[in-house]
Amino acid sequence: MGYRVAQLSHGFAVKNAEAERVSPVFPDKEGALDWLLTAAERRAPRERPCLACHRPFKSQGIHDRLCPHCGLAASVADTTTHSRTAAPPRRPRD
Ligand SMILES: [Zn+2]
């Protein structure tokens, strides 16, 4: 993980391995510790049902909603249908 609760001059905050503050500043250590635990919970890979086949798989995060099998199939389908149908316009990047 590399995250830890650090005492600041004006409170407590969670810092990462590079000593960068990644959480808000809390007035007490418990607040920072609580944030760290919930953040770790949010970040940790967990079992989610695949959006396509509904089988649980180890999701890498909230953005990761297809199991490896369906994610692979989707990317393959993407390239094979490319010649038949016009590709949707790409969203401009910020
Ligand atoms: Zn799937």
Side-chain angles (χ1 to χ4, degrees), residues 47-57 65-67 69-70:
E47 298 252 313
R48 291 177 198 277
C50 170
L51 274 188
C53 69
H54 304 289
R55 279 183 297 206
F57 71 106
R65 303 307 301 274
L66 291 173
C67 71
H69 179 78
C70 293

Side-chain angles (χ1 to χ4, degrees), residues 7-30:
Q7 182 166 15
L8 310 176
S9 56
H10 52 297
F12 294 86
V14 178
K15 290 189 172 186
N16 64 13
E18 284 76 44
E20 292 163 337
R21 187 164 62 81
V22 294
S23 82
V25 177
F26 297 92
D28 52 54
K29 195 171 186 174
E30 280 68 34

Side-chain angles (χ1 to χ4, degrees), residues 1 22-24 26 34-46 48 59-63:
M1 280 291 295
V22 294
S23 82
F26 297 92
D34 197 51
W35 186 95
L36 175 58
L37 292 176
T38 41
E41 171 90 359
R42 273 200 302 272
R43 250 187 280 271
R46 58 167 61 198
R48 291 177 198 277
S59 171
Q60 294 304 309
I62 198 77
H63 61 283

